[in-house]
Amino acid sequence: EGDIGVKSVLNALKARSYEYKDPERAGAGPGKRLGIMAQDLEKTVIGKALVRDTPGGKMIDVPGAVGVALAANANLHSRLKALEGRRGRHAA
């Protein structure tokens, strides 16, 4: 069940470059940022719980997203180990 949720989150996300509409209000300085968009994240059941509507726009609950990021890392690591295991069996 957890792996399915993690996969749906990963499938919905794209790395994007962006600038805050109001960097002062966002607590950030001016300039480009690299990250994910709340609008992409909220397309998933798990992601919806991590997106907050604020007067300045949508915001990702970063502390809440850390657990999801760690779960995604664990999922990807398991998948990588499985692929490496298959490669090792075929190389022999």
Side-chain angles (χ1 to χ4, degrees):
E1 184 176 306
D3 280 351
I4 292 169
V6 166
K7 285 179 186 175
S8 70
V9 169
L10 290 173
N11 286 336
L13 299 181
K14 295 178 184 168
R16 298 186 188 265
S17 175
Y18 62 92
E19 290 187 44
Y20 285 108
K21 293 176 186 172
D22 186 354
E24 301 293 320
R25 188 175 192 154
K32 288 201 177 260
R33 305 273 186 229
L34 180 64
I36 60 171
M37 305 305 293
Q39 292 82 349
D40 291 336
L41 186 59
E42 71 181 353
K43 292 176 184 175
T44 68
V45 173
I46 292 171
K48 283 181 187 179
L50 299 172
V51 176
R52 308 283 178 256
D53 283 312
T54 71
K58 295 186 181 289
M59 180 183 87
I60 296 172
D61 172 16
V62 174
V66 169
V68 174
L70 291 171
N73 234 357
N75 176 279
L76 291 172
H77 182 68
S78 294
R79 291 167 60 191
L80 178 61
K81 285 189 335 189
L83 287 171
E84 288 174 340
R86 280 191 228 152
R87 192 182 86 194
R89 286 194 302 259
H90 293 302

